[in-house]
């Protein structure tokens, strides 16, 4: 036995990703006395600027946006009671196909080995028992999410640590409900074309392929408030439109695929730390 606290490390691409996909588990496990470490890989400079100005438009200053988003990220961490925030501060690569994908210093252009070596240092320092990041497609194909996946898996190989490792996901049964809710709260939202609809239908996993279902209902208010802390990106955060009560109804469970395990804990499981306590 050791006095070292159980530790969860979540590796995310941008400020606000920590709240969207893992805000519930970060808040829940912090409340249970588990050390929660957030690694944010990029500076978020491709987000909206003041007044909703978009990247590439007059008045958009990526450096100023990055500073603003760091303050928002720190506020979100306070809401979620995150123990430790680590920022790799790579330049935000933007959405797939944007010129910023190929900009010098962008996360997408950074060699995987370089990013992984920096993350491996953090892993050796914090020695996480559980690591959470995205799947190979970054859940929905964002370049920085894909790169976060790549450096995380490479860092785990470098460190030879044996934590439980999870990828965030969404059950297909829930994706349909999200689509209905998005149309409900975005009445002017056009119907997607068939190609987009087919692509959306491939996001997430069939329910039976999801290994881990964590009830975070009691922390959905914190998750909502953490998202709201990213006020500059409110136009892009659909969930804020539905209000806290409806948000809690839809977002009370966070789901994951367990991809590495040394505990032998049975699946499906309802606790990322099953087999560790």
């Amino acid at each position: 036995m050791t006095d070292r606290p159980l530790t969860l490390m979540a590796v995310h691409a941008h400020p606000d990703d920590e709240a969207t996909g893992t805000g519930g588990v970060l808040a829940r496990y912090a409340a249970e006395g588990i050390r929660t470490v957030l690694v944010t890989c990029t500076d978020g400079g491709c987000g909206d600027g003041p007044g909703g100005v978009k990247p590439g438009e007059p008045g958009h200053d990526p450096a100023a946006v990055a500073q603003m988003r760091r303050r928002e990220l720190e506020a979100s961490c306070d809401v979620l009671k995150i123990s430790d925030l680590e920022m790799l501060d790579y330049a935000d690569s933007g959405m797939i196909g944007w010129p910023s994908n190929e900009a010098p210093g962008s996360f997408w252009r950074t060699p995987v080995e370089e990013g992984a070596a920096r993350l491996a240092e953090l892993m050796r320092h914090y020695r996480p028992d559980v690591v959470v990041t995205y799947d190979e497609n970054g859940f929905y194909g964002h370049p920085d999410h894909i790169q976060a996946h790549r450096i995380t898996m490479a860092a785990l190989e470098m460190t030879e640590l044996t934590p439980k490792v999870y990828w965030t996901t969404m059950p297909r049964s829930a994706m349909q409900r999200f689509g209905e809710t998005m149309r409900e709260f975005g009445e002017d939202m056009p119907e997607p074309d068939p190609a987009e609809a087919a692509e959306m239908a491939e996001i997430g996993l069939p329910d039976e392929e999801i290994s881990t279902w964590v009830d975070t209902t009691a922390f959905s208010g914190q998750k909502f408030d953490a998202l709201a802390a990213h006020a500059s990106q409110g136009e892009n955060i659909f969930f804020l439109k539905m209000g806290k009560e409806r948000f809690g109804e839809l977002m009370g469970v966070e789901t994951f695929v367990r991809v590495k395990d040394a505990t032998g804990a049975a699946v499906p499981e309802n606790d990322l730390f099953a087999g560790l306590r």
Side-chain angles (χ1 to χ4, degrees):
M1 296 295 292
T2 174
D3 292 333
R4 185 180 64 83
L6 285 172
T7 300
L8 166 64
M9 176 180 281
V11 183
H12 282 293
H14 312 98
D16 76 30
D17 289 332
E18 80 290 338
T20 306
T22 56
V25 292
L26 286 165
R28 170 180 162 167
Y29 290 122
E32 293 178 8
I34 288 171
R35 186 177 200 178
T36 51
V37 180
L38 170 63
V39 181
T40 301
C41 296
T42 80
D43 60 12
C46 285
D48 287 358
V53 63
K54 307 297 182 187
E57 293 180 351
H60 188 278
D61 179 353
V65 171
Q67 289 182 354
M68 174 176 61
R69 297 196 72 185
R70 177 170 187 128
R71 291 193 296 271
E72 293 175 338
L73 177 61
E74 290 169 350
S76 172
C77 288
D78 286 344
V79 170
L80 297 173
K81 309 301 183 189
I82 289 171
S83 309
D84 300 271
L85 169 63
E86 298 283 356
M87 298 193 70
L88 299 186
D89 269 334
Y90 289 108
D92 189 341
S93 309
M95 300 296 287
I96 192 164
W98 287 12
S100 49
N101 292 176
E102 300 304 321
S106 74
F107 190 38
W108 184 240
R109 277 195 60 178
T110 298
V112 170
E113 297 77 12
E114 177 192 319
R118 293 182 60 196
L119 182 57
E121 280 187 38
L122 294 175
M123 288 181 175
R124 293 187 188 102
H125 174 71
Y126 288 107
R127 301 191 67 82
D129 302 281
V130 172
V131 174
V132 175
T133 192
Y134 316 102
D135 63 19
E136 305 100 316
N137 191 45
F139 185 59
Y140 70 100
H142 192 297
D144 288 331
H145 289 230
I146 293 170
Q147 189 75 329
H149 163 85
R150 290 173 176 170
I151 74 162
T152 302
M153 302 313 291
L156 287 163
E157 291 292 326
M158 289 178 180
T159 60
E160 297 183 352
L161 298 173
T162 56
K164 298 177 79 175
V165 180
Y166 294 89
W167 297 341
T168 58
T169 192
M170 185 73 70
R172 295 263 170 85
S173 61
M175 291 302 296
Q176 182 177 352
R177 293 197 300 276
F178 279 126
E180 294 166 355
T181 305
M182 287 177 75
R183 285 188 288 276
E184 176 186 344
F185 285 92
E187 295 175 4
D188 58 348
M189 187 178 294
E191 288 289 329
D193 65 39
E196 286 180 349
E199 191 173 312
M200 285 294 292
E202 292 303 311
I203 292 178
L205 288 172
D207 292 31
E208 63 272 15
E209 293 182 23
I210 293 175
S211 66
T212 311
W213 305 68
V214 183
D215 183 355
T216 60
T217 306
F219 303 94
S220 60
Q222 276 177 264
K223 180 171 177 171
F224 184 92
D225 290 343
L227 279 168
H230 296 280
S232 69
Q233 308 306 305
E235 183 183 326
N236 303 318
I237 302 175
F238 159 76
F239 302 109
L240 296 176
K241 297 179 182 178
M242 64 179 71
K244 191 173 285 189
E245 183 177 348
R246 189 67 182 279
F247 178 85
E249 293 170 1
L250 285 172
M251 304 292 286
V253 176
E254 290 182 351
T255 49
F256 305 87
V257 175
R258 193 174 82 187
V259 294
K260 184 177 178 182
D261 172 63
T263 69
V267 292
E269 60 188 0
N270 60 11
D271 178 9
L272 297 178
F273 288 85
L276 293 169
R277 54 180 178 172

